[in-house]
Amino acid sequence: MSIKFRKEASKFLDKASFEDVTRIGNKINQLLISIEEEKTIPFTELNIKKMRGNWEGFYRIRIGKIRIVFTADIDSTEVVVYTIGVRGDVYK
């Protein structure tokens, strides 16, 4: 199982508060565990949705006002976090 953070996601984590980073880390850990053990994406448990339009093929996790945009390859159990940001700004 591997997780990769793109530059934009890392920048957000560097600037975010400790509480936000902890919440984001917990959600990502839950996602990784679910993909690794069950080989599925836990849509309802983690409030994950498939994205449409320009973001086709990506997923998003909602944590309050924060959004995490990622892709997941279940076969190779790899998750790539493309961006993390506040609702509205993250989709631009």
Side-chain angles (χ1 to χ4, degrees), residues 13-28:
L13 291 174
D14 290 340
K15 295 178 185 177
S17 69
F18 178 75
E19 294 83 20
D20 288 341
V21 172
T22 303
R23 289 179 17 209
I24 291 167
N26 289 338
K27 291 286 185 173
I28 291 174

Side-chain angles (χ1 to χ4, degrees), residues 38-76:
E38 301 171 12
K39 301 289 185 196
T40 61
I41 297 175
F43 289 99
T44 55
E45 294 86 10
L46 295 180
N47 199 355
I48 297 175
K49 289 192 178 182
K50 286 184 179 181
M51 298 182 69
R52 296 179 282 172
N54 293 337
W55 290 95
E56 189 76 36
F58 290 84
Y59 301 93
R60 74 104 174 111
I61 297 176
R62 178 178 173 250
I63 306 172
K65 291 185 179 183
I66 297 172
R67 304 296 188 265
I68 303 170
V69 178
F70 68 97
T71 59
D73 186 1
I74 295 174
D75 297 329
S76 66

